[in-house]
Amino acid sequence: SDILAGSKIFTSNCASCHAGGQNIIMPARKKTLKKEALSQYLSGGMAEGSVIHIVTNGKSAMPAFGGRLSDEDIASVASYVIDQATFDKW
Ligand code: HEM
């Protein structure tokens, strides 16, 4: 997986709902992509595999990207999200 490629995939596919690591469509907007939120709300906690899972399968109002993005692209966008969260880059 490739963080730079992941940043471009994020801009094209995720930023409409998660610009700046936010979550603009959840009521209360708690389920952001920041470290604390991923640890608290993401099933499996803050790990690349957990991000791969939600991106592939979707959840509630988040669409599934499995079949729309390749597994490689999903892994890249997950590594980008984890890097952004881990080092407080959002
Ligand atoms: C949740 C990543 C695209 C809407 C999440 C979470 C992650 C994530 C990691 C868990 C956040 C947490 O629990 O704190 C991504 C990535 C995307 C993407 C990498 C692009 C490949 C989108 C899009 C939308 C969206 C386009 C809106 C149409 C949501 C919603 C949740 C969510 C509503 C909360 C789901 C729930 O727990 O019920 N997203 N997302 N996401 N995302 Fe996305």
Side-chain angles (χ1 to χ4, degrees), residues 8 15 18 21 30 36 38 46 52 67 71:
K8 295 174 184 168
H18 295 294
K30 283 184 180 167
E36 296 74 17
L38 294 181
M46 195 183 82
I52 288 172
D71 289 351

Side-chain angles (χ1 to χ4, degrees), residues 3-57:
I3 292 172
L4 181 58
S7 77
K8 295 174 184 168
I9 295 159
F10 188 91
T11 299
S12 310
N13 295 279
C14 321
S16 52
C17 297
H18 295 294
Q22 296 298 317
N23 191 329
I24 65 159
I25 69 168
M26 282 304 279
R29 303 183 174 186
K30 283 184 180 167
K31 293 184 176 179
T32 73
L33 307 187
K34 295 173 197 273
K35 194 186 324 191
E36 296 74 17
L38 294 181
S39 304
Q40 191 172 350
Y41 301 115
L42 180 60
S43 174
M46 195 183 82
E48 217 161 288
S50 308
V51 179
I52 288 172
H53 187 270
I54 195 171
V55 171
T56 303
N57 298 294

